Amino acid sequence: MRAVTRVGGTAYPWGAKNVDTDVIIPAHWLKTITRSGLGRGAFETVRAQPGNLFDDPRYAGAPILIAGDNFGCGSSREHAAWALADMGVQAVIAPSFSDIFSGNAFKNGIVTVVLPQEAVDRLVEVAKTDPVTVDLETMTVTTPYQDRYTFALDPFRRRCLMEGLDEVGLTLAKDTVISNFEERLGVERPWIGHGRADDAGLAVEGAGRA
Amino acid sequence: MSSSRTLYEKVWDAHVVERRDDGSCLIYIDRHLLHEVTSPQAFEGLRAAGRRVRRRDLTLAVPDHNLPTTARTDAAGKELPIADRESAEQLAALRRNVAEFDVPYIDALSVNQGIVHVVGPEQGFTLPGTTMVCGDSHTSAHGALGALAFGIGTSEVEHVLATQTLILSPSKTMEVRVDGTLGYGVSAKDVVLAIIGRIGAAGGTGHVIEFTGEVIRALSVEGRLTIANMSIEGGARAGMIAPDETTFAYLKGRPMAPQGDDWARAVDWWRTLPSDAGARYDKVVRLEASDIAPALTWGTSPEDVVPITGSVPAPDSFADASKRAAAQKSLDYMGLTPGMRMQDVPIQHVFIGSCTNSRIEDLRAAASVANGRHVADGVRALVVPGSGLVKRQAEAEGLDRIFTAAGFEWREPGCSMCLAMNPDKVPAGERCASTSNRNFVGRQGPGSRTHLLSPAMAAAAAVTGRLADVRELMG
């Protein structure tokens, strides 16, 4: 994963509430078996409207998106994060995010910045004409004016973002503690590993009973 | 400091592999469900890094999202190709990946195939006190049996495949208690819509919900699955219901449930899981059953809930300015005007199915309304069983004949019209009474208009051609 310490530049001054993942990337774009190229489908239904924000040349290629409450609600599709990354978005600022989306964003090097509604309202205004900067070093969002908003981020996530760490690799290094846990699990809850899923075992009459 | 713990805290504690300095934990995952849409890039990641699947015995794959719900074989039993090239490729990729990584797999042609969240409980793969994940947000459904179950993204799918763990921070807890006895014609779907209407689409963000109270206790596992399924529509990544005798009776004898001595040991442990008296939740919400009526959504967020006896709200009626703006946009999209009675709204499509409402009890409820009636002129109504086994059971009970005689289409199992990834879609500008879980803009197809409601209410809409109060058609 690419390391990120600072995201600065133009920002889409959107502010919309409850932006769901079907809006970020409609389902028909999910039939891909790769991660790339989804930027073309990002916000397709919004882009179908004339004069929309995402096709406004003032914000073309903006690395920051400013949105309202509950950004990324709905489906768990990581395609939403892939689509944002593919269109060049590296940070999203909102009063709240869906839990699944913020995890997916983080895994793709996108910083999710939670700020109070008043701060988001102010940034939406500023971003119409001026750039915005998200800094992971100082944990602040700033503008060319006197705005300076501090935000919090899970320390582990912050470190992974700033160092561009591979989480699977990090966890695989814990192989021994995982194996120890599995040994204990086998003794304490032996039924967990017993779920045989070979086809013969599945085709049992009456499994669909009421 | 009391040592009383909630159901969630007990399941969490039993799965901590390692506690980290920052408060997050490495959590062991007992059960991992895969489907074709959110897994290809995860397998690709494993392949690129030369990694293997750590615990194939804790993993189960089944295709559901892309599958057309029309016949899958010809008269000779030969598999029919899927017309949509991309869907066919994604389904083929799942077959290739499960073969390459030796992952247990239920094929599209198996009678056991179905929507991943119907298959899990039905097979006994879902168990109380387990941690369970799937690259699908409605994984929250499995919490109905007392599992800590939640949706994950594809990077996390890859992480679980490779390590059988996830790095998670503990969630806050929220009790949603529903007291009393449900009124005539009120179902589990109406309860969960009422809950989401109350807490809002982001009300549960950062929380795991535990559903408690007499109403929840009195529900079958199927009704509980409907409720836990929609936890995510209230912003909660997971929703749980304490396991009880109803849960154990449901699971006993299912193909992948523990057998013999293991069964007895498991039940002993499961009995220790319900929240202790005196356990504290970060948030508590209470609802009275007598306040819950057959309900449905009017807008484009699952929180836009109104009783069927109600009217389309005026945007001005909302206190919050951003909600007012959102409501106006929703009404424009939905083609509704404030003050219009919900029961006067005509519909063109009915969808009975999805991981929320496609189980045998759902089909029975819909069939009891459809029986002896006929789908209204100009309405297309689909019934899509949640799995091959549900379909077989329904056919054994004659429900398919009730539906087809009434003019409903009886289809093959899959996600169908819930999410517009397969041929079952609602055309732009047309309106669907749907038992699914999301009424988002474009969810059932570009420009589609969705009203979420219960299976019985959907059947009532089908036979009247409008949104209707099922109580007037019952009894």
Side-chain angles (χ1 to χ4, degrees):
Chain A
M1 200 163 76
R2 183 181 47 82
V4 50
T5 49
R6 196 164 173 279
V7 184
T10 48
Y12 297 105
W14 201 13
K17 263 185 89 156
N18 285 331
V19 174
D20 59 68
T21 50
D22 281 79
V23 166
I24 302 172
I25 187 85
H28 70 95
W29 287 93
L30 271 51
K31 297 181 190 182
T32 170
I33 56 172
T34 64
R35 287 172 159 92
S36 56
L38 288 168
R40 286 178 296 127
F43 302 109
E44 188 175 62
T45 53
V46 181
R47 286 188 140 139
Q49 296 155 19
N52 75 80
L53 196 69
F54 296 104
D55 291 322
D56 187 329
R58 284 178 295 171
Y59 312 118
I64 300 173
L65 172 63
I66 308 172
D69 247 334
N70 205 20
F71 185 84
C73 62
S75 150
S76 65
R77 60 188 70 161
E78 194 161 321
H79 308 68
W82 298 334
L84 287 173
D86 197 53
M87 68 184 276
V89 171
Q90 299 165 50
V92 184
I93 302 172
S96 68
F97 292 88
S98 102
D99 296 335
I100 300 179
F101 175 80
S102 56
N104 285 339
F106 153 69
K107 301 273 196 296
N108 289 278
I110 297 172
V111 187
T112 52
V113 180
V114 177
L115 288 178
Q117 184 68 51
E118 311 80 70
V120 170
D121 291 343
R122 164 70 188 155
L123 290 172
V124 166
E125 276 315 300
V126 174
K128 286 173 182 164
T129 49
D130 292 281
V132 171
T133 302
V134 174
D135 194 325
L136 285 176
E137 201 78 65
T138 57
M139 295 298 282
T140 56
V141 178
T142 53
T143 73
Y145 305 97
Q146 292 178 358
D147 307 295
R148 185 184 170 83
Y149 303 106
T150 56
F151 64 95
L153 206 60
D154 178 285
F156 172 72
R157 285 190 177 180
R158 178 173 177 237
R159 196 183 122 224
C160 286
L161 284 167
M162 294 181 73
E163 296 177 20
L165 297 174
D166 162 26
E167 222 187 325
V168 177
L170 283 178
T171 305
L172 280 173
K174 304 272 183 191
D175 185 59
T176 315
V177 279
I178 299 172
S179 296
N180 290 345
F181 181 91
E182 285 177 326
E183 218 167 283
R184 225 165 54 233
L185 183 67
V187 175
E188 291 171 9
R189 299 197 290 279
W191 61 87
I192 293 300
H194 281 190
R196 305 245 183 270
D198 50 282
D199 238 344
L202 285 176
V204 168
E205 294 299 316
R209 73 183 199 276
Chain B
M1 184 67 200
S2 115
S3 61
S4 300
R5 290 183 300 164
T6 62
L7 166 63
Y8 163 71
E9 288 158 347
K10 290 180 192 187
V11 178
W12 175 273
D13 290 349
H15 291 85
V16 174
V17 174
E18 187 179 68
R19 288 181 203 280
R20 308 152 67 99
D21 295 340
D22 62 5
S24 65
C25 292
L26 191 61
I27 292 292
Y28 198 77
I29 302 301
D30 294 329
R31 295 284 183 263
H32 188 189
L33 285 161
L34 297 168
H35 62 85
E36 77 277 20
V37 180
T38 54
S39 64
Q41 293 87 352
F43 282 113
E44 185 51 42
L46 290 185
R47 201 176 285 120
R51 289 166 182 159
R52 62 186 180 94
V53 174
R54 185 181 178 95
R55 289 294 297 266
R56 52 174 300 283
D57 62 322
L58 306 184
T59 311
L60 179 63
V62 59
D64 56 6
H65 284 60
N66 271 280
L67 281 177
T69 58
T70 43
R72 291 181 185 150
T73 52
D74 64 14
K78 188 170 157 289
E79 184 170 11
L80 291 163
I82 290 167
D84 183 289
R85 198 183 47 79
E86 288 174 306
S87 289
E89 173 50 27
Q90 206 168 48
L91 290 159
L94 182 63
R95 276 186 182 158
R96 284 198 304 274
N97 286 328
V98 296
E100 180 183 340
F101 289 89
D102 197 21
V103 169
Y105 173 62
I106 300 175
D107 189 73
L109 299 185
S110 165
V111 70
N112 296 300
Q113 182 273 335
I115 306 171
V116 70
H117 308 310
V118 175
V119 168
E122 184 173 77
Q123 294 293 338
F125 186 68
T126 308
L127 296 175
T130 52
T131 45
M132 186 158 188
V133 296
C134 174
D136 188 283
S137 60
H138 292 110
T139 307
S140 60
H142 306 267
L145 290 98
L148 172 58
F150 50 91
I152 56 177
T154 299
S155 294
E156 290 170 310
V157 170
E158 184 180 337
H159 196 276
V160 175
L161 287 172
T163 71
Q164 206 57 38
T165 64
L166 280 175
I167 297 159
L168 297 168
S169 291
S171 298
K172 286 186 279 212
T173 55
M174 177 174 185
E175 181 187 26
V176 174
R177 182 176 191 89
V178 192
D179 290 314
T181 310
L182 291 180
Y184 181 64
V186 181
S187 72
K189 184 63 162 284
D190 303 306
V191 174
V192 74
L193 287 173
I195 291 169
I196 297 161
R198 166 78 76 83
I199 68 174
T205 303
H207 292 74
V208 167
I209 295 178
E210 183 179 343
F211 299 97
T212 67
E214 289 165 75
V215 165
I216 307 297
R217 286 288 130 231
L219 285 174
S220 65
V221 167
E222 312 214 337
R224 295 176 186 183
L225 283 160
T226 299
I227 293 195
N229 175 276
M230 289 189 71
S231 305
I232 185 69
E233 308 315 328
R237 201 169 175 181
M240 302 176 78
I241 294 172
D244 59 11
E245 296 307 319
T246 305
T247 320
F248 309 149
Y250 173 91
L251 281 172
K252 195 167 168 57
R254 296 209 176 247
M256 300 173 83
Q259 319 283 340
D261 288 350
D262 273 350
W263 172 260
R265 283 190 67 179
V267 172
D268 282 347
W269 188 64
W270 295 343
R271 286 191 205 283
T272 68
L273 293 174
S275 295
D276 298 323
R280 290 186 54 250
Y281 300 88
D282 295 300
K283 221 185 215 179
V284 177
V285 175
R286 291 212 150 86
L287 282 84
E288 271 302 324
S290 54
D291 295 336
I292 303 174
L296 75 173
T297 59
W298 55 266
T300 56
S301 167
E303 70 186 20
D304 299 337
V305 175
V306 67
I308 184 63
T309 49
S311 304
V312 177
D316 292 348
S317 64
F318 298 98
D320 169 18
S322 63
K323 181 71 198 171
R324 280 200 293 276
Q328 188 55 57
K329 261 184 81 184
S330 285
L331 292 183
D332 293 345
Y333 181 82
M334 293 296 290
L336 297 172
T337 46
M340 196 173 180
R341 277 167 23 101
M342 292 311 293
Q343 293 184 65
D344 293 339
V345 176
I347 52 104
Q348 295 79 42
H349 299 265
V350 170
F351 170 51
I352 298 171
S354 87
C355 59
T356 312
N357 281 125
S358 62
R359 298 174 183 86
I360 190 70
E361 286 182 13
D362 300 317
L363 303 190
R364 286 180 192 142
S368 73
V369 175
N371 196 7
R373 296 191 169 96
H374 202 277
V375 172
D377 287 344
V379 173
R380 182 190 183 209
L382 258 58
V383 185
V384 187
S387 72
L389 292 173
V390 170
K391 182 166 185 264
R392 193 166 70 180
Q393 172 77 22
E395 288 171 353
E397 296 179 19
L399 304 184
D400 59 321
R401 291 189 296 282
I402 292 176
F403 284 123
T404 50
F408 290 78
E409 295 176 34
W410 180 246
R411 310 293 289 247
E412 295 298 318
C415 296
S416 185
M417 209 179 255
C418 177
L419 85 170
M421 274 200 81
N422 53 68
D424 303 341
K425 293 187 182 75
V426 177
E430 297 192 15
R431 193 178 299 282
C432 183
S434 178
T435 66
S436 54
N437 39 56
R438 291 201 171 121
N439 52 351
F440 296 162
V441 168
R443 173 76 179 183
Q444 294 190 290
S448 61
R449 295 165 169 167
T450 304
H451 296 276
L452 304 176
L453 33 59
S454 72
M457 288 274 283
V463 299
T464 57
R466 57 177 174 82
L467 299 172
D469 190 337
V470 67
R471 292 171 296 193
E472 291 169 11
L473 299 178
M474 287 167 65

